[in-house]
Amino acid sequence: MMSPAGGKSRPSLVPETPGPPTISFGDLLEEVGSMGLFQFFSVLLLSLPVLLLASHNLVQNFSAASPEHKCRLSPSTNASGGHPVPLDQSQFPDKCRRFVHRMVLDSNGSLEKGRGAVTEPCQDGWLYDNSTFASTIVTEWDLVCNLQPLKNLAQSLFMAGVLVGAFIFGDLSDRFGRRLILIWSLLLIAVMGSGAALSASFAAYCVFRFLSGVGISGFLLNYVCLSLEWVPTRHRAIVIATQSYCSTAGQVLLAGLAYGIRDWRWLQLAISAPFFCFFAYSWWLPESARWLLANNQHEAALCNLKRVAKINGKAATGDTVFLEMLETQVGSNTSGRGAHSCLDLFRTPALRRISCCLMFISFSMNMAYFGLSMDLSMFGLNIFLMQLFFGSIDLLAKMGCALLLTYFGRRTIQATSLVLAGAFLLVTLPVPPEMLLVRMALVVLGKGCLAASSMCLYLYGGELFPTVIRQTGTSFVTAMSRLGGIVAPMVLLAGGYQPSLPLLIFGITPMISGISAGFLPEMLQVPLMDTIEQVEER
């Protein structure tokens, strides 16, 4: 490159004056190989843990399943004949109470006189039907009757862990890098997930599940950004689609694991132990050069770019070219991460609109999605087949979404998928309960649209936030998604008072958020932005 005076400029990591013309990071990435062997292995290694994310999110469909149960009789009621337990309102044996005295019928089928029909809670525990599951946390700690809400509490605490992790790791990732937080998040998932499998008490189980949720949040925040920041604009949709397929395939994998492993401890261990392997190989992954440049860590960025070029077979481009291109790229960046905080998401008009819209979309979409996914028994069918069916439908929906994203853009797909999801769920309301298959088909279609919307949101959110606060913005979006996951069980509980209320809420909120998606800028074939100023100028 020539200096303004016409002489030869000496390559420098930090230019003294902003003389050379700036060059985009996309062009810089092309020099070292924008989609070569490095990108292939990087995306592959980041996608493998995604296979088990759905397992951690939905494992309690199986590990917390409630089998048929009845009161265990006390030794004093072992006499033959009579009725050891009363009947409930549906004329079935009551699952939560028993007679204080064993009730004996006379020859006319009436209770013998003098024997009061006094009942009491199950004082000696319960007998469970183990034909489907050898053991669940429900049978392990008797989470039935008055303690039944505790199993939902365990799931809510897991979601709360993801929520807390989003606030903790979002800012840390922008300050200390994507790679470091991702690595230690994988270790946290491995240790705490395995700890949950070895828990001696329900309280310990809840603590371990909460902390594993924190770790999952750290991984969720960083694997998408670390993938996007190493691939060119034209391949971003393909990369996100691939990783989203892995997440959905994880639902199918969970159905197979749960079918083959009927003990909750071994199932929990099976989905947690592989994260030790993921932690071990994650040290190979380099830090995002885009993040390093945005934070003025030029030597580290140069080292990573050289490494990527070598893996992609482009080492012959030479150090001088790298230094020259790095110099011009650095000239266009801001002065580092220290000047930014989460308040930047709401200070400027464009970024404030983006942040609020994405957070509302994430909350409403995930509330409806987890509300439909966490209660497979509501359909009255085999839960293993329902998990397999739901996962397969989600996979097909995401494949269609990936194809449409290439032609119609992000904003159109995001808005349309949310509005359709809400419409399908609302149409379910007037369908009579007797038409179970029709209701199930409409719910499945709605859930498929929500799955397509989630894939679009992962891509869209990563594109809309600038590099300097990308993780901070993504953390807020993730936090709202987990808040939706926490609220979902509460909405389901409201169905006990008004059966149509959950579907009504799950239908209306996605439709409203779909309308809000229309206020977001389109990012089809638009390079990633590095600064807040670039966002405001669009």
Side-chain angles (χ1 to χ4, degrees):
M1 290 181 60
M2 302 298 293
S3 66
K8 196 79 172 179
S9 64
R10 182 174 61 87
S12 172
L13 289 175
V14 183
E16 296 179 359
T17 58
T22 60
I23 184 172
S24 70
F25 184 82
D27 293 334
L28 181 61
L29 196 59
E30 290 291 341
E31 293 294 325
V32 300
S34 61
M35 204 63 189
L37 196 61
F38 164 77
Q39 280 79 8
F40 173 79
F41 279 109
S42 178
V43 171
L44 175 64
L45 296 179
L46 287 170
S47 299
L48 289 178
V50 181
L51 281 170
L52 294 177
L53 287 185
S55 297
H56 279 270
N57 286 332
L58 303 174
V59 67
Q60 285 202 188
N61 277 337
F62 304 98
S63 65
S66 296
E68 290 294 321
H69 55 275
K70 61 181 180 181
C71 282
R72 187 187 299 274
L73 301 183
S74 65
S76 62
T77 58
N78 285 332
S80 60
H83 292 269
V85 295
L87 302 180
D88 59 19
Q89 294 179 350
S90 302
Q91 299 303 304
F92 288 103
D94 197 301
K95 298 179 180 180
C96 300
R97 302 190 67 82
R98 67 183 184 183
F99 288 120
V100 175
H101 302 289
R102 193 176 183 91
M103 304 307 296
V104 179
L105 302 180
D106 58 22
S107 58
N108 296 323
S110 304
L111 293 175
E112 287 186 354
K113 295 182 179 181
R115 302 296 295 260
V118 180
T119 63
E120 65 179 358
C122 301
Q123 302 289 344
D124 298 288
W126 287 262
L127 294 174
Y128 296 96
D129 177 10
N130 295 325
S131 60
T132 303
F133 295 100
S135 173
T136 69
I137 65 170
V138 172
T139 63
E140 181 94 7
W141 294 303
D142 289 333
L143 304 183
V144 294
C145 299
N146 292 335
L147 297 182
Q148 185 174 0
L150 290 182
K151 75 170 188 176
N152 291 329
L153 173 65
Q155 180 67 20
S156 293
L157 286 174
F158 169 76
M159 292 294 184
V162 183
L163 177 67
V164 171
F167 288 115
I168 294 175
F169 290 130
D171 186 66
L172 291 179
S173 297
D174 277 333
R175 290 182 181 275
F176 302 108
R178 289 77 162 104
R179 174 179 178 269
L180 186 65
I181 302 301
L182 181 138
I183 289 173
W184 292 110
S185 294
L186 288 172
L187 181 62
L188 186 62
I189 298 170
V191 173
M192 297 306 162
S194 300
L198 303 175
S199 299
S201 67
F202 178 70
Y205 172 81
C206 288
V207 171
F208 282 122
R209 282 283 286 168
F210 174 84
L211 293 175
S212 66
V214 173
I216 283 177
S217 185
F219 176 76
L220 280 171
L221 289 172
N222 289 280
Y223 88 94
V224 173
C225 284
L226 200 56
S227 300
L228 287 180
E229 291 176 359
W230 274 116
V231 299
T233 301
R234 63 184 182 276
H235 292 298
R236 291 201 304 250
I238 297 175
V239 169
I240 291 298
T242 301
Q243 294 178 330
S244 189
Y245 295 156
C246 290
S247 176
T248 303
Q251 296 185 42
V252 179
L253 177 62
L254 174 62
L257 288 173
Y259 183 80
I261 306 174
R262 303 298 180 96
D263 185 285
W264 77 268
R265 291 185 182 274
W266 286 106
L267 178 61
Q268 179 69 36
L269 194 62
I271 65 175
S272 302
F275 280 87
F276 285 107
C277 298
F278 303 150
F279 165 76
Y281 73 59
S282 63
W283 291 93
W284 176 86
L285 298 169
E287 181 57 85
S288 164
R290 184 186 289 272
W291 178 86
L292 291 170
L293 289 174
N295 287 268
N296 289 334
Q297 298 186 32
H298 315 136
E299 291 83 0
L302 180 61
C303 179
N304 284 354
L305 288 168
K306 287 181 179 180
R307 180 184 173 193
V308 171
K310 183 177 180 181
I311 296 174
N312 286 339
K314 292 195 173 185
T317 50
D319 292 344
T320 303
V321 176
F322 290 146
L323 290 173
E324 183 176 300
M325 298 179 69
L326 183 60
E327 176 184 336
T328 57
Q329 170 66 18
V330 170
S332 65
N333 280 309
T334 60
S335 58
R337 174 65 184 86
H340 299 286
S341 70
C342 61
L343 296 178
D344 289 317
L345 295 172
F346 308 100
R347 280 198 180 105
T348 56
L351 202 51
R352 181 167 56 245
R353 183 177 70 253
I354 289 171
S355 301
C356 292
C357 288
L358 289 179
M359 289 167 64
F360 179 56
I361 291 170
S362 182
F363 171 81
S364 60
M365 179 188 69
N366 282 277
M367 180 183 67
Y369 185 86
F370 282 109
L372 298 174
S373 301
M374 288 191 300
D375 192 15
L376 298 181
S377 60
M378 66 181 289
F379 296 101
L381 302 174
N382 184 288
I383 62 172
F384 302 106
L385 292 178
M386 286 304 302
Q387 183 67 60
L388 179 65
F389 185 50
F390 270 18
S392 301
I393 290 297
D394 284 6
L395 189 61
L396 292 174
K398 289 182 177 181
M399 286 181 177
C401 179
L403 181 64
L404 294 174
L405 280 171
T406 307
Y407 297 100
F408 296 100
R410 286 69 161 129
R411 179 171 55 193
T412 302
I413 301 304
Q414 187 75 78
T416 304
S417 59
L418 286 168
V419 171
L420 283 177
F424 281 125
L425 296 178
L426 290 178
V427 170
T428 307
L429 292 175
V431 179
E434 296 78 19
M435 302 176 65
L436 180 61
L437 292 180
V438 176
R439 290 175 62 88
M440 186 179 72
L442 291 171
V443 169
V444 166
L445 288 173
K447 184 174 179 293
C449 289
L450 290 171
S453 176
S454 71
M455 190 187 82
C456 185
L457 183 64
Y458 271 116
L459 173 62
Y460 211 4
E463 293 177 328
L464 286 170
F465 291 116
T467 301
V468 290
I469 55 169
R470 181 166 293 125
Q471 291 302 82
T472 302
T474 305
S475 71
F476 272 72
V477 174
T478 301
M480 293 304 294
S481 73
R482 298 308 157 175
L483 182 60
I486 294 173
V487 172
M490 303 177 188
V491 176
L492 290 174
L493 287 176
Y497 303 96
Q498 177 53 254
S500 62
L501 190 58
L503 280 178
L504 182 65
I505 296 175
F506 294 154
I508 290 177
T509 51
M511 293 190 76
I512 298 175
S513 63
I515 296 172
S516 71
F519 295 96
L520 295 172
E522 182 53 68
M523 290 297 293
L524 180 63
Q525 300 301 325
V526 177
L528 290 179
M529 293 168 284
D530 293 321
T531 66
I532 296 175
E533 290 75 15
Q534 291 174 344
V535 175
E536 296 300 320
E537 290 170 0
R538 287 201 69 239

